Amino acid sequence: MEKRKLGNTGLEVSLIGFGGFHLLEIPAEKARNLLNEYIDMGGNYIETAADYGDGESERKIGPVIEKRRDEVVLASKTGSRIKEGALRDVNRTLNNLRTDHLDILFMHAVKSFEELETIFSEGGAYEAFLQLKEEGKVDN
């Protein structure tokens, strides 16, 4: 599968990514089979979120990631706007995904300038990102 560089991250991602939201609609075994087939076909970009089924999507992805972590670029999200909540979200995500780090962390569903200001304010989620990056738990 064709891959492209992702901005200035140094990462190369497949043109077709694998989103975790709809894994909520299928059994765990089918999710594992789909993920393994996607990776076998050369796909390497997997994106999910803690909010997808209160971690259910991540828990379905985890058994595959645990065995094939070095083959994928793994992205997840936090919906928290404050540092404490974002740290809690990401640590739970890492546990659910059975990995020690994320390649990419997104701030999920930012809907207003006020939310963006909170994220970048003192005690905001951006401080969590910086801490997690320093700890090696998030790369980008």
Side-chain angles (χ1 to χ4, degrees), residues 6 9 11 13 17-21 23 35 38 44-52 57-58 61-62 65 69 71-78 89-90 93-94 97 99 101-108 129 137-140:
L6 182 62
T9 65
L11 299 170
V13 296
F18 192 103
F21 180 79
L23 295 181
L35 278 162
Y38 167 75
N44 77 333
Y45 181 75
I46 299 172
E47 184 177 314
T48 189
D51 289 344
Y52 296 169
S57 171
E58 296 171 335
I61 293 170
I65 296 303
R69 181 63 181 97
E71 298 176 65
V72 300
V73 173
L74 185 59
S76 195
K77 306 167 185 133
T78 178
D89 286 352
V90 172
T93 288
L94 294 173
L97 289 171
T99 187
H101 75 284
L102 296 171
D103 297 296
I104 301 169
L105 176 65
F106 290 104
M107 300 296 145
H108 198 196
F129 167 75
K137 293 180 178 181
V138 173
D139 296 334
N140 296 285

Side-chain angles (χ1 to χ4, degrees), residues 65-132:
I65 296 303
E66 182 175 42
K67 295 177 179 146
R68 303 186 76 170
R69 181 63 181 97
D70 62 335
E71 298 176 65
V72 300
V73 173
L74 185 59
S76 195
K77 306 167 185 133
T78 178
S80 182
R81 305 300 181 236
I82 62 171
K83 181 179 180 179
E84 183 179 301
L87 289 172
R88 185 174 47 248
D89 286 352
V90 172
N91 284 310
R92 184 182 115 181
T93 288
L94 294 173
N95 185 58
N96 286 342
L97 289 171
R98 302 182 188 189
T99 187
D100 63 349
H101 75 284
L102 296 171
D103 297 296
I104 301 169
L105 176 65
F106 290 104
M107 300 296 145
H108 198 196
V110 178
K111 298 176 189 140
S112 69
F113 286 108
E114 291 78 19
E115 287 184 28
L116 192 60
E117 288 174 1
T118 301
I119 289 167
F120 284 102
S121 69
E122 186 175 334
Y126 184 68
E127 286 184 4
F129 167 75
L130 294 175
Q131 179 180 327
L132 292 161

